[in-house]
């Protein structure tokens, strides 16, 4: 697929290519019986969706697709792990939506939902620097709660048993 789309130059188009590739890989998992191959295609779909989200940061569609894939991957985790993953995904999607919403009231609603979800994910997975970073970023960019930002930074710096729950 990358060879067919090799002459696409813009970042937006590359986001689209990775989005399509991720969709293809995800759909392929439904017809593959071999567990190892299914996991490989799911990992490829996950990586493609992650790249699409990075290349097109304002795309709620890509963020939603990435969250869907991560939720699919989360089926292997226990109930607590699923809960923090869901909060992390919800926070990411709300933040992405807030980036493209023009209305002040709706934008604020999505930002507050993102912050609340990020806080819950961080509380449920306190050893995740990724979640602490996301939470700190939201608080720093979207609020005037600098005491909370400092508190979250101190928490992240104090983590001894680092965990990356989304990998």
């Amino acid at each position: 697929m990358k060879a067919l789309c090799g002459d696409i130059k813009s970042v937006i188009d590359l986001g689209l290519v990775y989005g399509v590739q991720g969709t293809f890989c995800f759909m392929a998992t439904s017809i593959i019986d071999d567990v190892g191959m299914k996991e490989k295609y799911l990992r490829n779909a996950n990586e493609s969706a992650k790249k699409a989200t990075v290349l097109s940061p304002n795309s709620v569609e890509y963020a939603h697709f990435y969250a869907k894939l991560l939720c699919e991957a989360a089926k292997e985790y226990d109930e607590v792990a699923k809960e923090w993953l869901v909060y992390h995904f919800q926070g990411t999607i709300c933040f992405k939506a807030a980036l493209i919403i023009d209305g002040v009231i709706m934008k604020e609603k999505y930002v507050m939902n993102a912050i609340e979800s990020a806080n819950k994910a961080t509380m449920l997975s306190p050893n995740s620097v990724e979640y602490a970073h996301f939470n700190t970023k939201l608080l720093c960019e979207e609020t005037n709660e600098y005491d909370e930002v400092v508190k979250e930074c101190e928490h992240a710096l104090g983590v001894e048993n680092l965990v990356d729950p989304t990998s």
Side-chain angles (χ1 to χ4, degrees), residues 53 56-64 92-104 106-108 110-111 142:
T53 303
S56 301
N58 293 336
S59 173
V60 175
E61 179 184 353
Y62 294 154
H64 181 262
T92 302
I93 291 170
C94 287
F95 181 65
K96 297 270 186 189
L99 291 174
I100 61 172
I101 292 174
D102 292 328
V104 175
M106 286 302 290
K107 182 184 232 37
E108 186 174 307
Y110 276 90
V111 166
E142 304 297 335

Side-chain angles (χ1 to χ4, degrees), residues 144-155:
N144 292 326
E145 303 291 331
Y146 296 111
D147 291 339
E148 287 296 315
V149 172
V150 170
K151 181 180 164 187
E152 194 59 42
C153 286
E154 288 172 348
H155 161 78

Side-chain angles (χ1 to χ4, degrees), residues 5-152:
C5 303
D7 47 331
I8 296 175
K9 301 294 182 206
S10 80
V11 170
I12 294 171
D13 290 337
L14 284 175
L16 178 62
V17 169
Y18 283 115
V20 170
Q21 181 179 359
T23 302
F24 172 78
C25 289
F26 181 67
M27 291 173 71
T29 63
S30 67
I31 60 171
I32 296 172
D33 292 327
D34 181 75
V35 176
M37 287 300 291
K38 188 175 275 208
E39 287 176 0
K40 179 182 176 185
Y41 272 85
L42 193 56
R43 274 194 311 274
N44 287 342
N46 189 4
E47 283 302 310
S48 294
K50 187 175 186 177
K51 288 175 183 175
T53 303
V54 169
L55 291 168
S56 301
N58 293 336
S59 173
V60 175
E61 179 184 353
Y62 294 154
H64 181 262
F65 179 60
Y66 184 44
K68 178 181 176 180
L69 288 172
L70 291 174
C71 284
E72 187 68 26
K75 288 180 180 177
E76 299 171 14
Y77 293 106
D78 62 31
E79 288 304 313
V80 173
K82 286 181 186 178
E83 193 174 351
W84 49 251
L85 280 170
V86 168
Y87 283 124
H88 178 63
F89 306 150
Q90 181 178 346
T92 302
I93 291 170
C94 287
F95 181 65
K96 297 270 186 189
L99 291 174
I100 61 172
I101 292 174
D102 292 328
V104 175
I105 294 171
M106 286 302 290
K107 182 184 232 37
E108 186 174 307
K109 178 182 173 186
Y110 276 90
V111 166
M112 295 314 293
N113 282 339
I115 290 170
E116 183 179 325
S117 295
N119 280 330
K120 288 178 181 176
T122 303
M123 285 188 304
L124 291 168
S125 185
N127 292 332
S128 170
V129 175
E130 178 184 350
Y131 290 179
H133 174 262
F134 181 60
N135 197 15
T136 304
K137 178 182 175 183
L138 286 174
L139 290 170
C140 191
E141 291 180 3
E142 304 297 335
T143 72
N144 292 326
E145 303 291 331
Y146 296 111
D147 291 339
E148 287 296 315
V149 172
V150 170
K151 181 180 164 187
E152 194 59 42

